[in-house]
Amino acid sequence: MDYAKKKPGSYKTLLAYKKSQCVFDITYYFVRRFMDRMHDRTVDQMQQAARSGKQNIVEGYSDAEGSTEVEHKLTVIAKGSLEELKEDYLDYLRNNHLEIWGVTHYKYKACQPLFRKHNDSEYYMRQIKDRNDEDIANIALIVINQALALLRGLIDYQDRMFLAEGGIKEQRYRARLDARARNNFGNGTRYPSQPEQKK
């Protein structure tokens, strides 16, 4: 990966970021409509987990220009935050004796393929408007699972790029050796990777 070609804000092109932003917006709507913000600590925890899932993608992608290790670490943190948020939604449904849509549920079957096509918050805001808490929590779970799948794919990609190209320090070291080779070639100067000639 050529990190020098990254542009500010380009994280917004990542599907994982777009889907995580949808998760954040759904959660923001859900906790304000259905939960007791004054007395339930879960409200803050859910909002923070949703925010962390989104913001760590941003920070990791931006920090990748300086450290691939930091990028990978923050992407893993984003995934962990969404896993935590997923559990909070499941707890809400269980504790309020509401139905959890399994993969064979007719509503799950209707929503899952549609949601795979949409990565914009406006779409989901229209879908959840005036719905009850059971529907919105289950919709959130589907979107979270899709965001998690995208994050796992992003983490796998980062791992492959690291194995193929190394970290930023390795890339810079190789670039420095190449620059020295170009500058010194032809004037008899030996650079570190060039073996000394035997006399």
Side-chain angles (χ1 to χ4, degrees):
M1 180 184 294
D2 188 349
Y3 288 96
K5 293 181 180 177
K6 283 194 175 180
K7 299 178 181 179
S10 56
Y11 62 84
K12 292 181 181 179
T13 64
L14 291 173
L15 291 179
Y17 169 79
K18 292 179 180 180
K19 194 71 92 173
S20 296
Q21 187 176 50
C22 297
V23 170
F24 175 83
D25 291 343
I26 294 169
T27 301
Y28 188 88
Y29 177 89
F30 180 85
V31 297
R32 276 162 173 70
R33 182 171 175 189
F34 298 112
M35 301 181 73
D36 185 352
R37 287 180 285 162
M38 293 294 294
H39 303 99
D40 191 346
R41 291 179 58 190
T42 309
V43 172
D44 287 337
Q45 292 169 355
M46 290 180 71
Q47 288 187 133
Q48 287 302 316
R51 182 181 184 278
S52 176
K54 177 172 70 75
Q55 295 301 111
N56 276 293
I57 296 172
V58 176
E59 187 177 351
Y61 199 83
S62 300
D63 287 352
E65 294 179 9
S67 172
T68 51
E69 182 181 355
V70 171
E71 178 188 30
H72 184 271
K73 178 181 178 181
L74 290 172
T75 309
V76 171
I77 290 173
K79 176 178 172 292
S81 295
L82 292 187
E83 293 282 8
E84 178 184 340
L85 180 62
K86 177 180 173 180
E87 281 299 306
D88 284 330
Y89 275 112
L90 289 170
D91 287 344
Y92 180 92
L93 289 167
R94 283 193 296 267
N95 292 335
N96 288 280
H97 309 291
L98 300 173
E99 186 175 12
I100 298 172
W101 301 348
V103 295
T104 59
H105 195 284
Y106 75 96
K107 288 185 179 180
Y108 179 94
K109 288 182 175 180
C111 290
Q112 198 268 351
L114 284 174
F115 294 174
R116 289 184 65 182
K117 301 176 183 178
H118 292 279
N119 299 304
D120 55 295
S121 287
E122 292 80 6
Y123 171 81
Y124 293 102
M125 292 301 102
R126 293 193 298 271
Q127 298 305 310
I128 66 178
K129 185 179 179 181
D130 300 326
R131 286 181 180 263
N132 60 36
D133 53 346
E134 178 179 294
D135 281 355
I136 298 176
N138 277 288
I139 286 171
L141 285 169
I142 294 172
V143 182
I144 289 169
N145 280 327
Q146 291 178 353
L148 286 169
L150 290 167
L151 280 169
R152 283 191 288 269
L154 181 58
I155 291 167
D156 288 344
Y157 172 79
Q158 292 168 354
D159 287 339
R160 291 196 305 272
M161 289 301 101
F162 182 81
L163 290 174
E165 301 179 5
I168 294 297
K169 290 181 180 179
E170 293 176 72
Q171 293 176 40
R172 287 176 176 165
Y173 179 71
R174 288 196 298 270
R176 189 163 60 249
L177 291 181
D178 290 342
R180 287 178 182 174
R182 288 192 299 271
N183 292 336
N184 295 329
F185 184 76
N187 64 9
T189 304
R190 183 174 60 85
Y191 67 99
S193 63
Q194 180 181 355
E196 188 174 358
Q197 296 286 335
K198 289 185 177 181
K199 295 181 180 179

